[in-house]
Amino acid sequence: MSDDSSARIVRHLHTLAAAAQPGDRLPSTRALAARFGAGPVTVQRALTQLVSQGVVETRAGLGTFVRQRADESRPPDVSWQTAALGPERAGQSPVGSSMRQIPHDTIAMHSGYPDAELLPMRELRSAYARLARGGADDPFRRPPTAGLPGLRRWFVDDLGLDGWRDTDAVIASGGQAALSATFRALAGPGDAIVMESPTYWGAIAAARQAGLVIVPVPRTDGAPSAADLDDAFASSGARLCYVQPTFANPTGDVWTPAQRDDVLSVVRAHRAFVVEDDWAHDLAMDVTPRPLVSDEPDGHVVYIRSLTKSLSVTVRVAVLLARGPARSRIENALTVSDLYVSPILQAVALDVVTRPVWRRHLQHLQRELRGRRDVLLAALAAGAPMLEVPNPPRGGFNVWVSLPAHGSDGMPADPDAVAARTLTRGLSISPGGEWFPTEPTGPFVRLNFAAAPAQRYPDAVAILAGAL
Amino acid sequence: MSDDSSARIVRHLHTLAAAAQPGDRLPSTRALAARFGAGPVTVQRALTQLVSQGVVETRAGLGTFVRQRADESRPPDVSWQTAALGPERAGQSPVGSSMRQIPHDTIAMHSGYPDAELLPMRELRSAYARLARGGADDPFRRPPTAGLPGLRRWFVDDLGLDGWRDTDAVIASGGQAALSATFRALAGPGDAIVMESPTYWGAIAAARQAGLVIVPVPRTDGAPSAADLDDAFASSGARLCYVQPTFANPTGDVWTPAQRDDVLSVVRAHRAFVVEDDWAHDLAMDVTPRPLVSDEPDGHVVYIRSLTKSLSVTVRVAVLLARGPARSRIENALTVSDLYVSPILQAVALDVVTRPVWRRHLQHLQRELRGRRDVLLAALAAGAPMLEVPNPPRGGFNVWVSLPAHGSDGMPADPDAVAARTLTRGLSISPGGEWFPTEPTGPFVRLNFAAAPAQRYPDAVAILAGAL
């Protein structure tokens, strides 16, 4: 009832203020209380609201006045910012097209996430509801900055790593946050970072934002060769390297055991860190490689794995494994950027992954991905024979497609133009240039097969072929 | 049933592998299927699990083998990191003691968050459960990188800002993430940033992590004087400034209208940005000041407000308001660091703040804070008359306490030693040094009165007085 009075007083004063001049005095608290049959607390509540809305101001002992408003007759003028901000910083990098929002009827093959129908939505919703309704306080209490102990333990156990402990793990709010903090913690502005090329656009952007100079190395038969990697470290002085040994994004490559050994030897020789982004750990289709970190006990590997892609976009939860002083620096960088990860997201993650349904979900997800991949590859072969798939993926959910070097008009294919054309025709794809830290070595596009249903792939391929 | 078989096969092979030598061959798929009466899919599932645990490896066409394990006889050796990591970077800064985890029976007066009993826990839990059980997909779908449109609109409306639009707002995963991204976006390594001193430790740490040089200005009567601020900008060339005009953390200061005008004039004259951290917007006790941003239309003010302190530690959701190219740069920096904010956290925030209960909750919270503040101030006056409270707070939840310059033994008080002593005696407080970007101007401690219940304040004050 007093809420109603308060709302009526607010409306009344809004009307008065709109009709009055700035600086005009409004009725006193006593007058308002009498008029609306309200107590002084109710009147005060209404005035507080109007003050916070900038409609009135109160002057101690004098009363309430219509506020002097900022000059509303002219539009904001932000032109001074151009000189104040100065040149574009090295740190700026466009956000990848995989973050694009598209109309509902467009075929989504650009995304970095699977469709909700591939995810354990029922179990996820149950977990949120259970934790919300349950008596436990932990999901609602500020967690340790390194994350909930149970979740850290689960990650270490699930990876089956010998000799690693929960205390080597730090929880981050998603893989991107883990990457960004790691780059900032282990290298400084102007330092070099070695990266496979092409690679994940978000790692390229995070390295640039940290002010790092990206030294690209090509993949030879799917992995950096020892010679190239050694050259990159030696010539740049880099102490940091970013890799995706398993189901690389976008190419789908998987390093062989020999290639893994080679990379680790070079990294050790240069006393460097290698950041292993195991982004598709839960998305294995045909093979289940062990993470690189399982072969390296001495803290050269910083390992990152996220649950966002296999569990839910709501669960921005990743684990980072690191040893030695590097781990402390990374945890510090994470805390300074984000303080901590929402405890309910950590609790929901732990709730779902420790239920038997989780393993069944992963099997279902992987089976679905296999099926969709095969349909897409068949559709490409049938509907767009001029396109080449250098490396049919064995995990992840992307097909990396090589466009014909010369289009029908004799000009080299331009992936950006092709992607723009397909978008106007109802198909959203990622142009390949975004995945190269320097000049692209050829015209590519990336097709995601986890977001759109398989029955739309023939249409998608037809649109793509028509856009060349 | 096949899950049981799979688990039995996993246990069996674990036993065999433990007894065997690396490289030994294990029973074939067919033999395992026969022995356990399981289908080939079940056997394959067990093998996949063992491969991912690093126990066995499969070689195409040859069979399954016990894996060569890393040398487990020696402990990890991370000593190489000392030289590889090099000197401590400028970006490193200790995490404030307010993030400390303490034993349950310790009196918590160090925290940066209120106790759950001051927060709308019932409504919060209901919101999670409702969204989890409800039919809407939006809380579970990847949101625009700038945040859910409805939440952005609510923030702009709630602040009652003239001429600001939802498109000026960006949602960040908490105030700290917003701060860090803003510093990185608007200044580069080596650039200067002007800050009030003392100020929020997290802002100091974030500025250092971004490689910025902090130029401190003192508060004169609660705010930077125009002369000091002008001097700081002119001498350092800074284009960026960080302030808390309302209920500053830790001092509780509130800028007067004249001080606000002065600061904005200087900022405009230097064509600079001022980051307004309105951390205690929902925690007003005696006055409700308007945000600085409401007086400045031309994009000089970047405004940050978080819901974490007034709603829940689970809701890592903040809004950032900015205009012009600065807004684009900040949104880009946020996206590169974090991609997006969990949509369910945004949906829960919007759900709770748009219910009538939200206003009642804020009134209750503010009333409680007033009561606790008054009890604490009375307890300090009665139990520790040697302590001085220069500025009893009118908002927020901290009392900034000045320790006697000379202890009973004639030595200057050392806040770190005092805080360490109180901690061993069951009281956790924040030593003042953490809040100064450079040398502290005196011995202070910060006492939070939102985490521990008021009946414990007399004990707390007794412990503090005894630790001097």
Side-chain angles (χ1 to χ4, degrees), chain A residues 54-200:
Chain A
V55 175
V56 307
E57 56 194 352
T58 55
R59 296 183 203 144
L62 294 175
T64 306
F65 299 84
V66 176
R67 187 165 76 81
Q68 183 73 48
R69 311 299 281 252
D71 182 357
E72 287 163 38
S73 56
R74 69 164 177 82
D77 178 4
V78 296
S79 58
W80 65 274
Q81 287 190 2
T82 302
L85 282 170
E88 280 198 86
R89 270 173 237 291
Q92 285 175 272
S93 190
V95 168
S97 60
S98 54
M99 297 303 291
R100 182 194 288 152
Q101 300 274 332
I102 56 164
H104 185 66
D105 53 351
T106 297
I107 307 174
M109 301 188 80
H110 66 290
S111 170
Y113 300 90
D115 188 67
E117 79 175 41
L118 294 183
L119 299 177
M121 292 304 294
R122 208 175 49 212
E123 292 75 18
L124 181 80
R125 286 177 180 265
S126 296
Y128 276 111
R130 203 160 37 233
L131 291 167
R133 294 295 187 198
D137 287 339
D138 258 14
F140 292 92
R141 193 180 285 150
R142 182 164 59 81
T145 53
L148 292 185
L151 184 61
R152 295 155 73 192
R153 196 171 318 124
W154 178 82
F155 270 118
V156 170
D157 289 349
D158 187 64
L159 289 165
L161 298 175
D162 303 323
W164 286 74
R165 297 162 309 171
D166 343 349
T167 48
D168 298 320
V170 185
I171 303 297
S173 61
Q176 186 71 21
L179 269 186
S180 307
T182 301
F183 291 171
R184 282 199 292 274
L186 301 188
D191 287 351
I193 180 171
V194 177
M195 285 194 181
E196 296 166 292
S197 176
T199 194
Y200 170 46

Side-chain angles (χ1 to χ4, degrees), chain B residues 250-432:
Chain B
T251 61
D253 286 306
V254 181
W255 295 2
T256 65
Q259 289 171 324
R260 296 158 62 101
D261 290 347
D262 279 358
V263 168
L264 285 178
S265 299
V266 175
V267 164
R268 279 194 205 97
H270 286 279
R271 303 169 92 181
F273 293 94
V274 55
V275 179
E276 176 180 23
D277 180 3
D278 197 14
W279 75 281
H281 185 85
D282 293 331
L283 310 174
M285 288 185 284
D286 304 330
V287 288
T288 309
R290 281 173 301 119
L292 196 63
V293 71
S294 59
D295 292 339
E296 208 295 309
D298 296 334
H300 285 279
V301 180
V302 175
Y303 174 84
I304 295 171
R305 169 184 169 194
S306 156
L307 290 174
T308 306
K309 290 179 164 64
S310 52
L311 175 50
S312 165
V313 296
T314 63
V315 181
R316 301 290 294 147
V317 166
V319 71
L320 184 146
L321 295 177
R323 276 182 169 158
R327 186 197 166 287
S328 310
R329 291 200 187 187
I330 296 168
E331 185 185 340
N332 182 275
L334 275 168
T335 307
V336 168
S337 302
D338 256 351
L339 294 186
Y340 59 88
V341 178
S342 173
I344 196 166
L345 301 185
Q346 299 188 54
V348 162
L350 185 60
D351 183 292
V352 178
V353 297
T354 51
R355 287 175 188 270
V357 71
W358 177 245
R359 194 157 293 279
R360 289 200 298 277
H361 154 62
L362 289 183
Q363 287 161 2
H364 172 256
L365 171 62
Q366 292 161 7
R367 195 165 51 236
E368 275 290 319
L369 290 177
R370 271 195 296 275
R372 292 183 182 212
R373 173 199 58 190
D374 294 344
V375 173
L376 179 57
L377 291 176
L380 284 166
M386 70 296 261
L387 299 178
E388 217 184 301
V389 176
N391 189 26
R394 294 182 291 161
F397 45 53
N398 301 305
V399 172
W400 184 239
V401 176
S402 177
L403 304 183
H406 294 278
S408 55
D409 56 358
M411 296 288 288
D414 174 353
D416 291 320
V418 170
R421 275 198 295 273
T422 68
L423 191 59
T424 64
R425 299 172 192 182
L427 168 66
S428 183
I429 62 175
S430 252

